[in-house]
Coordinates of all heavy atoms in Angstrom, one line a residue:
M1 N 0.8 -1.2 0.0 CA 0.0 0.0 0.0 C 0.9 1.2 0.0 O 1.9 1.3 0.7 CB -0.9 0.0 1.2 CG -1.6 1.3 1.5 SD -2.8 1.2 2.9 CE -4.1 0.5 2.0
T2 N 0.5 2.2 -0.8 CA 1.3 3.5 -0.8 C 0.9 4.3 0.4 O -0.2 4.5 0.7 CB 0.9 4.3 -2.1 OG1 1.3 3.4 -3.2 CG2 1.7 5.6 -2.2
V3 N 1.9 4.8 1.0 CA 1.7 5.7 2.2 C 2.0 7.1 1.8 O 3.1 7.4 1.3 CB 2.6 5.3 3.4 CG1 2.5 6.2 4.5 CG2 2.4 3.9 3.8
L4 N 1.0 8.0 1.9 CA 1.2 9.4 1.5 C 1.8 10.1 2.7 O 1.6 9.9 3.8 CB -0.2 10.0 1.2 CG -0.9 9.4 0.1 CD1 -2.3 10.0 -0.1 CD2 -0.2 9.5 -1.3
S5 N 2.7 11.1 2.4 CA 3.4 11.8 3.4 C 2.3 12.7 4.1 O 1.4 13.1 3.6 CB 4.5 12.7 2.8 OG 3.9 13.6 2.0
G6 N 2.6 12.9 5.4 CA 1.7 13.7 6.2 C 0.6 12.9 6.9 O -0.2 13.5 7.6
T7 N 0.5 11.6 6.6 CA -0.6 10.8 7.2 C -0.1 9.7 8.0 O -0.8 8.8 8.4 CB -1.6 10.3 6.1 OG1 -0.8 9.6 5.2 CG2 -2.3 11.5 5.4
L8 N 1.2 9.7 8.3 CA 1.8 8.6 9.1 C 1.4 8.8 10.6 O 1.4 9.9 11.1 CB 3.3 8.6 9.0 CG 3.9 8.3 7.6 CD1 5.4 8.4 7.6 CD2 3.5 6.9 7.2
F9 N 1.2 7.6 11.2 CA 1.0 7.6 12.7 C 2.4 7.6 13.3 O 3.3 6.9 12.9 CB 0.3 6.4 13.1 CG -1.2 6.3 12.7 CD1 -1.7 5.1 12.3 CD2 -2.0 7.4 12.8 CE1 -3.1 5.1 12.0 CE2 -3.3 7.4 12.5 CZ -3.9 6.2 12.0
S10 N 2.5 8.3 14.4 CA 3.8 8.3 15.1 C 3.5 8.1 16.6 O 2.9 9.0 17.3 CB 4.5 9.6 15.0 OG 5.7 9.6 15.7
P11 N 3.7 7.0 17.1 CA 4.3 5.8 16.5 C 3.2 4.9 15.8 O 2.0 5.2 16.0 CB 4.9 5.0 17.7 CG 4.1 5.3 18.8 CD 3.6 6.8 18.6
A12 N 3.6 3.9 15.1 CA 2.6 3.0 14.5 C 1.8 2.3 15.6 O 2.3 2.2 16.7 CB 3.4 2.0 13.6
I13 N 0.6 1.9 15.2 CA -0.2 1.2 16.2 C 0.0 -0.3 16.0 O -0.2 -0.9 14.9 CB -1.7 1.5 16.0 CG1 -1.9 3.0 16.2 CG2 -2.6 0.7 16.9 CD1 -3.3 3.5 15.8
L14 N 0.4 -1.0 17.1 CA 0.6 -2.4 17.0 C -0.8 -3.1 17.2 O -1.6 -2.6 18.1 CB 1.5 -2.9 18.1 CG 2.9 -2.3 18.0 CD1 3.8 -2.8 19.2 CD2 3.6 -2.7 16.7
T15 N -1.1 -4.1 16.4 CA -2.5 -4.6 16.5 C -2.6 -5.9 17.2 O -3.6 -6.5 17.3 CB -3.0 -4.8 15.0 OG1 -2.1 -5.7 14.4 CG2 -3.1 -3.5 14.3
S16 N -1.5 -6.4 17.8 CA -1.5 -7.6 18.6 C -2.1 -8.8 17.9 O -2.8 -9.6 18.5 CB -2.3 -7.3 19.9 OG -1.7 -6.2 20.6
G17 N -1.7 -8.9 16.7 CA -2.1 -10.1 15.9 C -3.6 -10.3 15.7 O -4.1 -11.4 15.6
R18 N -4.4 -9.2 15.6 CA -5.8 -9.4 15.3 C -5.9 -10.0 13.9 O -5.2 -9.7 13.0 CB -6.4 -8.0 15.2 CG -6.6 -7.4 16.6 CD -7.2 -6.0 16.4 NE -8.5 -6.0 15.7 CZ -9.7 -5.9 16.3 NH1 -9.7 -5.8 17.6 NH2 -10.8 -5.9 15.6
A19 N -6.9 -10.9 13.8 CA -7.1 -11.6 12.5 C -7.5 -10.6 11.5 O -8.3 -9.7 11.7 CB -8.2 -12.7 12.7
G20 N -6.9 -10.8 10.3 CA -7.2 -9.9 9.2 C -6.6 -8.6 9.2 O -6.9 -7.7 8.4
C21 N -5.7 -8.3 10.1 CA -5.1 -7.0 10.3 C -3.6 -7.1 10.2 O -3.1 -8.1 10.7 CB -5.5 -6.4 11.6 SG -5.1 -4.7 11.8
P22 N -2.9 -6.2 9.6 CA -1.5 -6.3 9.6 C -1.0 -6.2 11.0 O -1.7 -5.7 11.9 CB -1.0 -5.0 8.8 CG -2.3 -4.3 8.4 CD -3.5 -5.1 8.8
A23 N 0.3 -6.6 11.2 CA 0.9 -6.5 12.6 C 0.9 -5.1 13.2 O 0.8 -4.9 14.4 CB 2.3 -7.1 12.6
Q24 N 1.0 -4.1 12.3 CA 1.0 -2.7 12.7 C 0.3 -1.9 11.7 O 0.3 -2.2 10.5 CB 2.4 -2.2 13.0 CG 3.3 -2.2 11.9 CD 4.7 -1.7 12.3 OE1 4.8 -1.1 13.3 NE2 5.7 -1.9 11.4
L25 N -0.3 -0.8 12.1 CA -0.9 0.1 11.2 C -0.1 1.4 11.3 O 0.1 2.0 12.3 CB -2.4 0.4 11.6 CG -3.3 -0.8 11.5 CD1 -4.6 -0.5 12.2 CD2 -3.6 -1.1 10.1
R26 N 0.5 1.7 10.1 CA 1.5 2.8 10.1 C 0.9 4.1 9.6 O 1.6 5.2 9.8 CB 2.7 2.4 9.2 CG 3.4 1.2 9.7 CD 4.5 0.8 8.7 NE 4.0 0.7 7.4 CZ 3.7 -0.5 6.8 NH1 4.0 -1.6 7.4 NH2 3.2 -0.6 5.6
S27 N -0.2 4.1 9.0 CA -0.8 5.3 8.4 C -2.3 5.4 8.5 O -3.0 4.4 8.7 CB -0.3 5.5 7.0 OG -1.0 4.5 6.2
V28 N -2.8 6.6 8.3 CA -4.3 6.8 8.2 C -4.8 5.9 7.1 O -5.9 5.2 7.3 CB -4.6 8.3 7.9 CG1 -6.1 8.4 7.6 CG2 -4.2 9.1 9.1
E29 N -4.2 5.8 6.0 CA -4.7 5.0 4.8 C -4.7 3.5 5.2 O -5.7 2.9 4.8 CB -3.8 5.3 3.6 CG -3.9 6.6 3.0 CD -3.2 7.7 3.7 OE1 -2.3 7.4 4.5 OE2 -3.5 8.9 3.5
E30 N -3.7 3.0 5.8 CA -3.7 1.6 6.2 C -4.9 1.3 7.2 O -5.6 0.4 7.1 CB -2.4 1.2 6.8 CG -1.3 0.9 5.9 CD 0.0 0.5 6.6 OE1 0.2 0.8 7.8 OE2 0.8 -0.2 5.9
A31 N -5.0 2.2 8.1 CA -6.0 2.0 9.2 C -7.4 2.2 8.5 O -8.3 1.4 8.9 CB -5.9 3.1 10.3
R32 N -7.6 3.1 7.7 CA -8.9 3.3 7.1 C -9.3 2.1 6.2 O -10.4 1.6 6.2 CB -9.0 4.6 6.3 CG -10.4 4.9 5.8 CD -10.6 6.3 5.4 NE -11.9 6.4 4.9 CZ -12.3 7.1 3.8 NH1 -11.3 7.7 3.1 NH2 -13.5 7.2 3.4
A33 N -8.3 1.6 5.4 CA -8.5 0.4 4.6 C -8.9 -0.8 5.5 O -9.8 -1.6 5.1 CB -7.3 0.0 3.8
F34 N -8.3 -1.0 6.6 CA -8.7 -2.0 7.6 C -10.1 -1.9 8.1 O -10.9 -2.8 8.0 CB -7.7 -2.1 8.8 CG -8.2 -2.9 9.9 CD1 -8.4 -4.2 9.8 CD2 -8.6 -2.2 11.1 CE1 -8.8 -5.0 10.9 CE2 -9.1 -3.0 12.2 CZ -9.2 -4.3 12.1
V35 N -10.4 -0.6 8.5 CA -11.8 -0.4 9.0 C -12.8 -0.6 7.9 O -13.9 -1.2 8.1 CB -11.9 1.0 9.7 CG1 -13.3 1.3 10.1 CG2 -11.0 1.0 10.9
E36 N -12.5 -0.1 6.7 CA -13.5 -0.3 5.6 C -13.7 -1.7 5.3 O -14.8 -2.2 5.0 CB -12.9 0.5 4.3 CG -13.0 2.0 4.4 CD -14.4 2.5 4.3 OE1 -15.3 1.9 3.6 OE2 -14.7 3.6 4.8
R37 N -12.6 -2.5 5.2 CA -12.7 -3.9 4.9 C -13.5 -4.7 6.0 O -14.2 -5.6 5.7 CB -11.3 -4.5 4.8 CG -11.2 -5.9 4.3 CD -9.8 -6.4 4.1 NE -9.1 -6.4 5.4 CZ -8.0 -5.7 5.7 NH1 -7.5 -4.8 4.8 NH2 -7.4 -5.8 6.8
E38 N -13.3 -4.3 7.2 CA -14.0 -5.0 8.4 C -15.2 -4.2 8.9 O -15.6 -4.4 10.0 CB -12.9 -5.2 9.5 CG -11.7 -6.0 9.1 CD -12.1 -7.4 8.8 OE1 -13.0 -8.0 9.4 OE2 -11.4 -7.9 7.8
R39 N -15.7 -3.3 8.1 CA -16.7 -2.4 8.5 C -17.9 -3.0 9.3 O -18.2 -2.7 10.4 CB -17.3 -1.6 7.4 CG -18.5 -0.7 7.8 CD -19.0 0.1 6.7 NE -18.0 1.1 6.3 CZ -18.3 2.2 5.8 NH1 -19.6 2.6 5.6 NH2 -17.4 3.1 5.4
L40 N -18.6 -4.0 8.7 CA -19.7 -4.6 9.4 C -19.3 -5.3 10.7 O -19.9 -5.0 11.8 CB -20.4 -5.5 8.5 CG -21.8 -6.1 9.0 CD1 -22.7 -4.9 9.4 CD2 -22.4 -7.0 8.0
P41 N -18.3 -6.1 10.7 CA -17.9 -6.7 12.0 C -17.5 -5.7 13.1 O -17.9 -5.8 14.2 CB -16.8 -7.7 11.7 CG -16.9 -7.9 10.2 CD -17.5 -6.7 9.6
V42 N -16.7 -4.7 12.7 CA -16.3 -3.8 13.7 C -17.4 -2.9 14.2 O -17.5 -2.6 15.4 CB -15.0 -2.9 13.3 CG1 -13.8 -3.8 13.1 CG2 -15.3 -2.0 12.2
V43 N -18.3 -2.5 13.3 CA -19.4 -1.6 13.8 C -20.3 -2.4 14.7 O -20.8 -1.9 15.7 CB -20.2 -1.1 12.6 CG1 -21.5 -0.4 13.0 CG2 -19.3 0.0 11.9
R44 N -20.5 -3.7 14.4 CA -21.3 -4.6 15.3 C -20.6 -4.7 16.7 O -21.3 -4.9 17.7 CB -21.5 -5.9 14.7 CG -22.5 -5.9 13.6 CD -22.7 -7.3 13.1 NE -23.7 -7.4 12.0 CZ -23.9 -8.3 11.2 NH1 -23.1 -9.4 11.2 NH2 -24.8 -8.3 10.3
S45 N -19.3 -4.6 16.8 CA -18.6 -4.8 18.0 C -18.8 -3.5 18.9 O -18.5 -3.6 20.1 CB -17.2 -5.1 17.8 OG -16.4 -4.0 17.4
G46 N -19.2 -2.4 18.4 CA -19.4 -1.2 19.2 C -19.5 0.1 18.4 O -18.8 0.2 17.4
Y47 N -20.2 1.0 19.0 CA -20.4 2.3 18.3 C -19.1 3.1 18.2 O -18.9 4.0 17.4 CB -21.5 3.1 19.0 CG -21.1 3.6 20.4 CD1 -20.4 4.7 20.6 CD2 -21.4 2.8 21.5 CE1 -20.0 5.1 21.8 CE2 -21.0 3.1 22.7 CZ -20.3 4.3 22.9 OH -19.9 4.7 24.2
H48 N -18.1 2.8 19.1 CA -16.9 3.5 19.1 C -16.1 3.3 17.7 O -15.4 4.2 17.4 CB -16.0 3.0 20.2 CG -15.7 1.5 20.3 ND1 -16.7 0.6 20.7 CD2 -14.6 0.8 19.9 CE1 -16.2 -0.6 20.6 NE2 -15.0 -0.5 20.1
W49 N -16.4 2.3 17.0 CA -15.8 2.1 15.7 C -16.4 3.1 14.7 O -15.7 3.5 13.7 CB -16.0 0.7 15.2 CG -15.0 -0.2 15.8 CD1 -15.3 -1.1 16.9 CD2 -13.6 -0.3 15.6 NE1 -14.1 -1.7 17.2 CE2 -13.1 -1.3 16.5 CE3 -12.8 0.3 14.7 CZ2 -11.8 -1.6 16.5 CZ3 -11.4 -0.1 14.7 CH2 -10.9 -1.0 15.6
L50 N -17.6 3.6 14.9 CA -18.1 4.7 14.0 C -17.3 5.9 14.2 O -17.0 6.6 13.2 CB -19.6 4.9 14.2 CG -20.5 3.8 13.9 CD1 -21.9 4.1 14.3 CD2 -20.5 3.6 12.4
D51 N -16.9 6.2 15.4 CA -16.1 7.4 15.7 C -14.7 7.2 15.0 O -14.2 8.2 14.5 CB -15.9 7.6 17.2 CG -15.1 8.8 17.6 OD1 -15.4 9.9 17.1 OD2 -14.1 8.6 18.3
V52 N -14.2 6.0 15.1 CA -12.9 5.8 14.5 C -12.9 6.0 13.0 O -12.1 6.7 12.4 CB -12.4 4.3 14.8 CG1 -11.2 3.9 13.9 CG2 -12.1 4.1 16.2
H53 N -14.0 5.5 12.4 CA -14.1 5.7 10.9 C -14.2 7.2 10.6 O -13.6 7.6 9.6 CB -15.3 4.9 10.4 CG -15.5 5.0 8.9 ND1 -16.3 5.9 8.3 CD2 -14.9 4.3 7.9 CE1 -16.2 5.8 7.0 NE2 -15.3 4.8 6.7
Q54 N -15.0 7.9 11.3 CA -15.2 9.3 11.0 C -13.9 10.1 11.2 O -13.5 11.0 10.4 CB -16.3 9.9 11.9 CG -17.6 9.4 11.5 CD -18.7 9.9 12.5 OE1 -18.4 10.2 13.7 NE2 -19.9 9.9 12.1
R55 N -13.1 9.8 12.3 CA -11.9 10.4 12.6 C -10.8 10.1 11.5 O -10.0 11.0 11.1 CB -11.3 10.1 13.9 CG -12.2 10.8 15.0 CD -11.7 10.4 16.4 NE -12.5 10.9 17.4 CZ -12.4 12.1 18.0 NH1 -11.5 13.0 17.5 NH2 -13.2 12.5 18.9
L56 N -10.8 8.8 11.0 CA -9.9 8.5 10.0 C -10.2 9.2 8.7 O -9.3 9.6 7.9 CB -9.9 6.9 9.8 CG -9.2 6.1 10.9 CD1 -9.5 4.6 10.7 CD2 -7.7 6.3 10.9
T57 N -11.5 9.3 8.4 CA -11.9 10.0 7.1 C -11.5 11.4 7.2 O -10.9 12.0 6.2 CB -13.4 9.8 7.0 OG1 -13.8 8.4 6.9 CG2 -13.9 10.6 5.7
R58 N -11.7 12.1 8.3 CA -11.3 13.5 8.5 C -9.8 13.6 8.4 O -9.3 14.5 7.7 CB -11.8 14.0 9.8 CG -11.4 15.5 10.0 CD -12.0 16.0 11.4 NE -11.6 17.3 11.6 CZ -12.2 18.4 11.2 NH1 -13.3 18.3 10.5 NH2 -11.7 19.6 11.4
A59 N -9.1 12.7 9.0 CA -7.6 12.8 9.0 C -7.1 12.6 7.6 O -6.1 13.3 7.2 CB -7.0 11.8 9.9
Q60 N -7.7 11.7 6.8 CA -7.2 11.5 5.5 C -7.5 12.7 4.6 O -6.8 13.1 3.7 CB -7.9 10.3 4.9 CG -7.3 9.9 3.6 CD -7.8 8.5 3.1 OE1 -8.8 8.0 3.6 NE2 -7.2 8.0 2.1
A61 N -8.7 13.4 4.9 CA -9.0 14.6 4.1 C -8.2 15.8 4.4 O -7.7 16.5 3.5 CB -10.5 14.9 4.3
T62 N -7.9 16.0 5.7 CA -7.2 17.2 6.1 C -5.7 17.1 6.2 O -5.0 18.0 6.0 CB -7.7 17.7 7.4 OG1 -7.3 16.8 8.5 CG2 -9.2 18.0 7.5
R63 N -5.3 15.9 6.5 CA -3.9 15.6 6.8 C -3.3 16.5 7.8 O -2.0 16.6 7.9 CB -3.1 15.6 5.5 CG -3.5 14.6 4.5 CD -2.6 14.6 3.3 NE -3.1 13.7 2.3 CZ -2.6 13.4 1.2 NH1 -1.4 14.0 0.9 NH2 -3.1 12.6 0.4
A64 N -4.1 17.1 8.6 CA -3.6 18.0 9.7 C -3.2 17.1 10.9 O -3.8 16.1 11.2 CB -4.8 18.9 10.1
A65 N -2.1 17.5 11.5 CA -1.5 16.8 12.6 C -2.5 16.5 13.7 O -2.5 15.4 14.2 CB -0.2 17.5 13.1
P66 N -3.3 17.5 14.1 CA -4.2 17.2 15.2 C -5.3 16.2 14.8 O -5.7 15.3 15.6 CB -4.9 18.6 15.5 CG -3.9 19.6 15.0 CD -3.2 18.9 13.8
D67 N -5.7 16.2 13.6 CA -6.7 15.2 13.1 C -6.1 13.8 13.0 O -6.7 12.8 13.4 CB -7.3 15.6 11.7 CG -8.2 16.8 11.8 OD1 -8.7 17.1 12.9 OD2 -8.3 17.5 10.8
V68 N -4.8 13.7 12.6 CA -4.1 12.4 12.5 C -3.9 11.9 13.9 O -4.2 10.7 14.2 CB -2.8 12.6 11.7 CG1 -2.0 11.3 11.8 CG2 -3.0 12.9 10.3
A69 N -3.5 12.7 14.8 CA -3.3 12.3 16.2 C -4.6 11.8 16.8 O -4.7 10.8 17.6 CB -2.7 13.4 17.0
A70 N -5.7 12.5 16.6 CA -7.0 12.2 17.1 C -7.5 10.8 16.5 O -8.1 10.0 17.2 CB -8.1 13.3 16.8
A71 N -7.3 10.6 15.2 CA -7.6 9.4 14.6 C -6.8 8.2 15.2 O -7.3 7.1 15.5 CB -7.4 9.4 13.1
R72 N -5.5 8.4 15.4 CA -4.6 7.4 15.9 C -5.1 7.1 17.4 O -5.2 5.9 17.7 CB -3.2 7.9 16.0 CG -2.2 6.8 16.4 CD -0.9 7.4 17.0 NE -0.1 6.3 17.4 CZ -0.2 5.6 18.5 NH1 -1.2 5.9 19.4 NH2 0.6 4.6 18.8
A73 N -5.4 8.1 18.2 CA -5.9 7.8 19.5 C -7.2 7.0 19.6 O -7.3 6.1 20.4 CB -6.0 9.1 20.3
A74 N -8.1 7.4 18.7 CA -9.4 6.7 18.7 C -9.2 5.3 18.2 O -9.9 4.4 18.8 CB -10.4 7.5 17.7
L75 N -8.4 5.0 17.2 CA -8.1 3.7 16.7 C -7.5 2.8 17.8 O -7.9 1.7 18.1 CB -7.3 3.7 15.5 CG -6.9 2.4 14.9 CD1 -8.2 1.5 14.5 CD2 -6.1 2.5 13.6
A76 N -6.4 3.4 18.4 CA -5.7 2.7 19.5 C -6.7 2.3 20.6 O -6.7 1.2 21.2 CB -4.6 3.5 20.0
A77 N -7.5 3.2 21.0 CA -8.5 3.0 22.1 C -9.5 1.9 21.7 O -9.9 1.1 22.5 CB -9.2 4.3 22.5
A78 N -10.0 2.0 20.5 CA -10.9 1.0 20.0 C -10.3 -0.4 19.9 O -11.0 -1.4 20.3 CB -11.5 1.3 18.6
L79 N -9.1 -0.5 19.5 CA -8.4 -1.8 19.4 C -8.2 -2.4 20.9 O -8.4 -3.5 21.1 CB -7.1 -1.7 18.7 CG -7.2 -1.6 17.2 CD1 -5.8 -1.1 16.6 CD2 -7.7 -2.8 16.5
A80 N -7.8 -1.5 21.8 CA -7.6 -1.9 23.2 C -8.9 -2.3 23.8 O -9.0 -3.3 24.5 CB -7.0 -0.7 23.9
R81 N -10.0 -1.6 23.5 CA -11.3 -1.9 24.1 C -11.7 -3.2 23.6 O -12.2 -4.1 24.4 CB -12.3 -0.8 23.7 CG -13.7 -1.1 24.3 CD -14.6 0.0 23.9 NE -15.9 -0.3 24.4 CZ -16.9 0.6 24.4 NH1 -16.7 1.8 23.9 NH2 -18.1 0.2 24.8
D82 N -11.6 -3.5 22.3 CA -12.0 -4.8 21.8 C -11.1 -5.9 22.3 O -11.6 -7.0 22.5 CB -12.0 -4.8 20.3 CG -13.2 -4.2 19.6 OD1 -14.1 -3.7 20.4 OD2 -13.3 -4.2 18.4
G83 N -9.9 -5.6 22.5 CA -9.0 -6.6 23.1 C -9.3 -7.0 24.5 O -9.2 -8.2 24.9
E84 N -9.8 -6.0 25.3 CA -10.2 -6.3 26.6 C -11.5 -7.0 26.7 O -11.7 -7.8 27.7 CB -10.4 -4.9 27.4 CG -9.1 -4.2 27.6 CD -9.3 -2.8 28.1 OE1 -10.4 -2.4 28.3 OE2 -8.3 -2.1 28.2
T85 N -12.4 -6.9 25.8 CA -13.7 -7.5 25.8 C -13.8 -8.7 25.0 O -14.9 -9.3 24.9 CB -14.8 -6.5 25.4 OG1 -14.6 -6.0 24.1 CG2 -14.8 -5.3 26.4
G86 N -12.8 -9.1 24.3 CA -12.9 -10.2 23.4 C -13.5 -9.8 22.1 O -14.7 -9.9 21.9
S87 N -12.7 -9.3 21.2 CA -13.2 -8.7 20.0 C -14.1 -9.6 19.1 O -13.7 -10.7 18.9 CB -12.0 -8.2 19.1 OG -12.5 -7.8 17.9
R88 N -15.2 -9.1 18.7 CA -16.0 -9.8 17.8 C -15.7 -9.4 16.3 O -16.2 -10.0 15.4 CB -17.5 -9.5 18.0 CG -18.0 -10.1 19.3 CD -19.4 -9.6 19.5 NE -19.4 -8.4 20.3 CZ -20.4 -7.6 20.6 NH1 -21.6 -8.0 20.2 NH2 -20.2 -6.5 21.3
A89 N -14.8 -8.5 16.2 CA -14.4 -8.0 14.9 C -13.2 -8.8 14.3 O -13.0 -8.8 13.1 CB -13.9 -6.5 15.0
A90 N -12.6 -9.6 15.1 CA -11.4 -10.4 14.6 C -11.9 -11.6 14.0 O -13.0 -12.1 14.1 CB -10.5 -10.7 15.8

């Protein structure tokens, strides 16, 4: 996947071996592709994934550092939350 400059996560998000997900998500584009591919299962696992999708979409559109940071934080929190509760998205 091509990574566009200005959309990298710092640091990358480790996914702890979630099924269907790369070992780490390094950019907004990678994360959004994962959420888009897994949209139905992740949305069923909790409304917090809708927030992740919206934040990733905004970050990809604006490429602004605060939006990228907010998207990264929302994604990391959603992955952690699903990991704690036994993800139905995996």
Side-chain angles (χ1 to χ4, degrees):
M1 168 175 276
T2 302
V3 177
L4 301 174
S5 62
T7 57
L8 294 176
F9 290 139
S10 180
I13 299 172
L14 300 179
T15 60
S16 302
R18 287 175 61 99
C21 189
Q24 61 180 343
L25 295 168
R26 298 176 307 257
S27 71
V28 170
E29 289 77 16
E30 283 182 335
R32 188 161 179 225
F34 163 69
V35 172
E36 288 286 333
R37 188 177 61 245
E38 301 295 324
R39 177 179 287 213
L40 188 57
V42 296
V43 169
R44 285 182 178 163
S45 74
Y47 67 88
H48 55 284
W49 283 103
L50 292 173
D51 180 54
V52 170
H53 184 264
Q54 290 174 338
R55 289 179 185 273
L56 288 168
T57 300
R58 180 178 176 89
Q60 190 172 12
T62 68
R63 298 185 184 183
D67 291 334
V68 173
R72 186 200 180 282
L75 178 59
L79 287 167
R81 180 178 177 170
D82 279 4
E84 292 170 4
T85 61
S87 174
R88 288 175 273 176

